Amino acid sequence: MVKKEINFSDGTRIFYEEENGILHRFIEYAYSPNEKIQLKKEPYLKELLDKQKRKYNAGKYYYLKKLQGLLYELNETQRNQLYNELKELHDKTGQEYDSRIINKDFLATFGKYWRGNEIQCAAFFVTIYLAMLDLEESKWQYPNSLGKTMVLKSCEAVILGGKDPKEAATMFERKKDTIPDDYYEPGYNSRYEKYNGYNGYDDDTIDDAFDGHPEATWNVD
């Protein structure tokens, strides 16, 4: 996991904590503009607002569910635009954190999806960038994995395919650090039976990530 802590101008932050011996990425949202206005008028509400959940484990079960929630206010054109913007982010993501990606253009691109809360909206999409970065950085460990494309394809399944976030989150659960010895024996390993382990991918990955077109795997770097 890329352990990059990021603080935003409104107080929203991305940080890391260990739970049960495992390091997790969290996002904690600051007061929204409306809450700040409310507190000026009614400061006694601060204790109540502080009890509201602002901290979230920013893994795939969170950001895919949050993406689904955003879609209710988007028409088909806007959904396609959102996906295309995530595709551009995917294409820019390398194997190391690049601060130039998270700049004022990023805010303009992604901040518009939460009305009146542009900074927090952009911060949310930064968690998706970091998720892509996590998998791209670890490709040396899992050479047969799709890396950052796993995140993009899961997001695409929710945004364009209408897939349930929990289902989309488990699309790619078979990361392998080596190709199994029985890889070239489809009858022995049913995971590679349909496409004969084409280009190092199992049948489920080709069906889910490449719509059943094994030749498309050659476009994945």
Side-chain angles (χ1 to χ4, degrees), residues 141-172:
Q141 187 178 3
Y142 301 104
N144 297 332
S145 73
L146 294 172
K148 61 185 179 182
T149 306
M150 292 184 187
V151 176
L152 179 66
K153 288 294 182 180
S154 296
C155 291
E156 179 184 9
V158 172
I159 297 169
L160 301 182
K163 196 167 230 182
D164 179 79
K166 288 185 179 179
E167 187 180 357
T170 57
M171 283 173 59
F172 308 100

Side-chain angles (χ1 to χ4, degrees), residues 57-132:
N57 185 321
K60 59 187 177 181
Y61 289 97
Y62 169 68
Y63 64 72
L64 289 173
K65 183 177 180 180
K66 195 73 172 177
L67 271 181
Q68 184 191 51
L70 291 177
L71 299 181
Y72 293 117
E73 295 186 7
L74 303 182
N75 58 38
E76 184 177 355
T77 299
Q78 291 168 324
R79 292 183 184 198
N80 285 320
Q81 181 185 23
L82 172 57
Y83 170 74
N84 289 333
E85 289 166 347
L86 283 175
K87 176 65 169 60
E88 289 182 19
L89 178 63
H90 163 275
D91 295 344
K92 291 178 182 177
T93 301
Q95 290 188 311
E96 295 182 357
Y97 177 79
D98 188 348
S99 60
R100 293 171 298 180
I101 293 177
I102 313 302
N103 56 22
K104 62 181 180 180
D105 294 329
F106 191 96
L107 178 62
T109 299
F110 292 105
K112 60 182 178 289
Y113 289 103
W114 294 1
R115 294 177 184 175
N117 227 337
E118 291 84 1
I119 294 174
Q120 292 184 14
C121 183
F124 162 71
F125 282 100
V126 169
T127 66
I128 296 179
Y129 164 62
L130 293 173
M132 291 181 181

Side-chain angles (χ1 to χ4, degrees), residues 154-215:
S154 296
C155 291
E156 179 184 9
V158 172
I159 297 169
L160 301 182
K163 196 167 230 182
D164 179 79
K166 288 185 179 179
E167 187 180 357
T170 57
M171 283 173 59
F172 308 100
E173 290 200 325
R174 299 187 181 94
K175 292 188 289 187
K176 286 288 185 182
D177 55 356
T178 59
I179 296 175
D181 293 336
D182 55 2
Y183 169 71
Y184 290 109
E185 300 179 27
Y188 182 72
N189 190 334
S190 61
R191 285 178 52 208
Y192 299 92
E193 187 170 356
K194 189 174 180 181
Y195 301 107
N196 293 315
Y198 192 92
N199 205 24
Y201 297 103
D202 62 37
D203 297 343
D204 288 345
T205 299
I206 292 173
D207 283 335
D208 290 337
F210 300 102
D211 299 320
H213 299 292
E215 65 276 7

